[in-house]
Amino acid sequence: MSLEKYEPVIGLEVHVQLQTKSKIFCSCSTKFGAEANTQTCPICLGLPGSLPVLNEQALYYGIKAGIALNCHIAERLKFDRKNYFYPDLPKAYQISQFDMPVAYRGWLMIETKDGNKKIGITRAHLEEDAGKLIHEGIKDASVVDYNRCGTPLLEIVSEPDLRTPEDAYEYLTTLKAILEYLEVSDCNMDEGSLRCDANVSIRLRGAEKFGTKAEIKNLNSFKAVAKSIQYEIERQAEVLESGERVIQETRLWNDEKGQTISMRSKEEAHDYRYFPEPDLVPFTISRQRVEEIRKTLPELPQAREERFLRDYKLSNYDAHVLVSDKKHADYFEQAIRAGADPKKVSNWLTSELFGLLNTRKETLDTCKVSAKALSGLIQLIDKQVISGKIAKEVLPIMVETGKDPETIVKEKGLVQVTDTKFLEDIAKKIIEVNPKSVADFKSGKTAAIGFLVGQMMKETKGKANPALANQILEQQLKKS
Ligand code: ADP
Ligand code: ZN
Ligand code: MG
């Protein structure tokens, strides 16, 4: 079956937990991981007679994110009740925003292999989270933890502007980076601070009208989002190819099986009977306040990427990878401030340090190597105290022990050999035992010297200064 016939259309709905200390309508803590039902009160438990009060910080974060996503910010703030019955929602309605979201009609730019693409943001609205039902490990019952109930969420809805699973992945990475830079959410997917539903349809290439979409839920990583979209594109193409019609439905992603499974069709969809929340009166957001917030915006990832390209002359790829994680970019700049060359820091960070951390299932958060220490290691190479090869042996020890590079080099006696007499003796020996390479060199195959230098490095266990070894070898070859 040919997928080429069809063009996928994708829109994403992202829920992010705003990192306020207390919940959106009460003063209960939002801290993750507390004992079940210890962070609740009459308001977030929805007891009769309790009244919600809006958390100003949540509103601030919502506006901040809206501005960064190039949105219009609502003139008036209004909340609505979204009614549905489910045991994780004790009030039987969720306070959300229906027709007047805090932010609307914005966009963000994603980098794709075909260049930059502008993706529309339909809206971003504030709402409260529900509690958590727990089914696992309990026989014949489910239990509920209301600690999460009332945690502030910002739901960010994209326009159906994405066209490939890779687009969707890039959109999420870009959005996450922006939210992290803004410090409005920790975006920790494992703790559910960032959740995504994907809407997917396909249409014949060139067709104007969108196809019928399926909404995919239960996506717990960006990779799962991309995989589920790919699966869904293929499934829908098969449905159309067999002469049937795609039905509008909600489907669940099963990560182990790599499949989406139907959960409910449109007919079973809820009628939420939205109506204005009478306990929270609408109010005006002054333009002055919006401008004040605009001024608090930090440098955002795309601006930082441009600065990295300009000031540090990194490759597009390296700059993009570095800035897409704020912690990585911060670490990178700290290492530069500590004196190392930007390009070298970028290489050592992305190919060496991250490689080591990956195999140890660590991140920069737990990493014992400070930016200053990495910078120090690079500078030891620059000062020819050690070779790059030795540095690659030192770094794993730094990762393991947290010791600084100078100490390790001293303790292990790894200082580079720059003793000319010593290197001359080794060069003579290497020349003696490699007559073939020597003959090659003399007959004009200058590349043969590379092999001979390699032998010298081997002989000195990588401690010879490579440039010096090369020079001495050439001298000795001429004499021989
Ligand atoms: P619903 O009323 O089903 O929630 P919305 O119009 O609110 O649908 O859109 C929800 C999400 O689905 C948005 O991200 C939007 O971009 C996306 N979307 C809408 N129509 C389509 C479509 N035909 N194909 C793919 N995505 C779509
Ligand atoms: Zn509460
Ligand atoms: Mg919708």
Side-chain angles (χ1 to χ4, degrees):
M1 181 193 56
S2 156
L3 284 174
E4 272 308 296
K5 253 170 88 177
Y6 298 104
E7 179 184 48
V9 171
I10 303 151
L12 298 180
E13 294 168 279
V14 172
H15 287 87
V16 279
Q17 252 176 38
L18 300 173
Q19 56 186 29
T20 54
K21 290 208 176 68
S22 57
K23 295 185 181 180
I24 186 166
F25 300 121
C26 65
S27 56
C28 291
S29 168
T30 54
K31 205 166 162 40
F32 182 84
E35 197 187 323
N37 297 307
T38 54
Q39 294 167 353
T40 58
C41 75
I43 297 170
C44 54
L45 289 175
L47 301 190
S50 62
L51 288 172
V53 176
L54 178 62
N55 179 334
E56 193 185 356
Q57 189 72 9
L59 174 61
Y60 166 69
Y61 286 156
I63 297 174
K64 202 173 170 189
I67 296 172
L69 297 172
N70 306 292
C71 289
H72 297 262
I73 303 301
E75 298 270 348
R76 270 174 88 66
L77 201 78
K78 171 181 159 259
F79 285 95
D80 301 276
R81 287 187 182 180
K82 178 179 178 179
N83 298 281
Y84 67 92
F85 176 76
Y86 203 65
D88 62 2
L89 186 73
K91 294 199 295 291
Y93 61 84
Q94 177 193 29
I95 305 181
S96 180
Q97 296 192 287
F98 181 51
D99 52 345
M100 290 167 67
V102 62
Y104 56 96
R105 285 213 313 271
W107 53 268
L108 66 75
M109 200 65 96
I110 61 168
E111 285 182 24
T112 75
K113 59 180 192 322
D114 309 318
N116 286 354
K117 267 196 212 170
K118 198 175 188 174
I119 307 300
I121 305 285
T122 315
R123 56 186 281 152
H125 67 254
L126 290 164
E127 62 185 24
E128 57 179 341
D129 207 347
K132 212 187 277 177
L133 284 179
I134 301 157
H135 315 284
E136 264 159 50
I138 299 141
K139 204 170 170 290
D140 300 328
S142 290
V143 294
V144 63
D145 176 5
Y146 287 122
N147 282 352
R148 199 179 65 182
C149 204
T151 298
L153 297 178
L154 188 69
E155 177 173 346
I156 303 163
V157 182
S158 89
E159 286 291 298
D161 288 346
L162 301 155
R163 290 292 173 268
T164 65
E166 295 76 31
D167 275 5
Y169 189 91
E170 188 60 24
Y171 170 87
L172 290 170
T173 318
T174 307
L175 179 62
K176 178 171 184 266
I178 293 172
L179 297 168
E180 280 173 349
Y181 274 62
L182 293 172
E183 297 182 329
V184 299
S185 173
D186 63 21
C187 295
N188 186 334
M189 276 195 108
D190 295 334
E191 294 179 1
S193 308
L194 192 153
R195 285 164 259 161
C196 173
D197 302 332
N199 297 271
V200 185
S201 66
I202 58 172
R203 61 180 170 187
L204 284 173
R205 281 194 194 276
E208 219 167 279
K209 207 165 163 282
F210 285 154
T212 306
K213 73 176 160 81
E215 180 174 358
I216 316 168
K217 289 190 178 289
N218 200 31
L219 299 165
N220 50 19
S221 71
F222 291 177
K223 284 213 178 86
V225 173
K227 274 199 267 178
S228 72
I229 292 172
Q230 185 59 38
Y231 176 88
E232 198 51 30
I233 293 168
E234 288 168 26
R235 184 190 70 82
Q236 292 182 12
E238 263 168 46
V239 170
L240 293 184
E241 287 292 299
S242 68
E244 283 167 54
R245 290 206 314 208
V246 174
I247 54 165
Q248 185 166 340
E249 61 182 346
T250 304
R251 300 180 68 89
L252 287 183
W253 172 246
N254 183 321
D255 209 38
E256 279 107 66
K257 292 199 180 134
Q259 291 175 345
T260 63
I261 303 131
S262 181
M263 184 173 107
R264 59 168 181 257
S265 72
K266 175 127 195 186
E267 285 70 46
E268 302 158 68
H270 294 117
D271 175 359
Y272 294 120
R273 295 171 193 275
Y274 279 98
F275 70 87
E277 166 61 66
D279 292 336
L280 290 161
V281 286
F283 61 89
T284 305
I285 304 171
S286 80
R287 296 304 93 182
Q288 190 194 333
R289 178 75 183 123
V290 174
E291 289 317 305
E292 274 167 24
I293 295 174
R294 195 185 299 279
K295 287 197 196 102
T296 69
L297 252 59
E299 180 185 43
L300 292 175
Q302 254 135 20
R304 195 175 203 185
E305 187 171 328
E306 280 159 28
R307 185 166 61 77
F308 277 19
L309 289 173
R310 196 176 57 233
D311 293 357
Y312 303 137
K313 309 272 182 286
L314 300 183
S315 69
N316 282 323
Y317 178 81
D318 286 345
H320 189 61
V321 169
L322 276 176
V323 301
S324 62
D325 189 317
K326 183 172 185 293
K327 283 179 187 149
H328 294 181
D330 288 347
Y331 187 98
F332 168 74
E333 291 210 281
Q334 276 166 26
I336 292 170
R337 261 179 258 127
D341 171 72
K343 269 211 168 116
K344 288 179 186 162
V345 175
S346 163
N347 285 340
W348 277 90
L349 191 59
T350 52
S351 45
E352 303 301 327
L353 185 59
F354 288 164
L356 289 167
L357 292 178
N358 258 345
T359 49
R360 294 168 63 93
K361 299 209 169 11
E362 275 197 73
T363 64
L364 277 187
D365 283 333
T366 55
C367 177
K368 288 185 189 148
V369 182
S370 68
K372 192 161 165 275
L374 184 70
S375 180
L377 180 70
I378 295 166
Q379 291 176 72
L380 286 181
I381 311 169
D382 289 344
K383 289 182 200 141
Q384 306 203 342
V385 177
I386 54 172
S387 64
K389 188 162 173 287
I390 292 290
K392 282 186 191 173
E393 289 171 27
V394 174
L395 189 62
I397 305 173
M398 292 166 70
V399 171
E400 179 80 39
T401 63
K403 284 185 186 168
D404 56 48
E406 293 82 3
T407 310
I408 296 167
V409 167
K410 232 178 264 161
E411 278 177 5
K412 306 230 166 215
L414 296 172
V415 174
Q416 190 157 257
V417 178
T418 50
D419 177 342
T420 321
K421 177 76 185 54
F422 177 70
L423 290 178
E424 266 171 23
D425 290 345
I426 293 176
K428 281 181 195 151
K429 192 169 132 203
I430 297 292
I431 288 169
E432 216 177 280
V433 298
N434 292 288
K436 168 114 189 9
S437 300
V438 173
D440 283 352
F441 178 77
K442 296 205 161 165
S443 71
K445 286 187 197 155
T446 42
I449 194 148
F451 171 77
L452 294 169
V453 172
Q455 294 304 302
M456 279 190 72
M457 297 306 288
K458 209 167 159 187
E459 188 69 29
T460 57
K461 297 197 172 64
K463 287 197 282 182
N465 174 320
L468 191 61
N470 202 310
Q471 192 194 331
I472 287 174
L473 202 81
E474 271 183 34
Q475 284 166 5
Q476 294 304 316
L477 279 167
K478 273 183 203 141
K479 283 189 201 160
S480 73

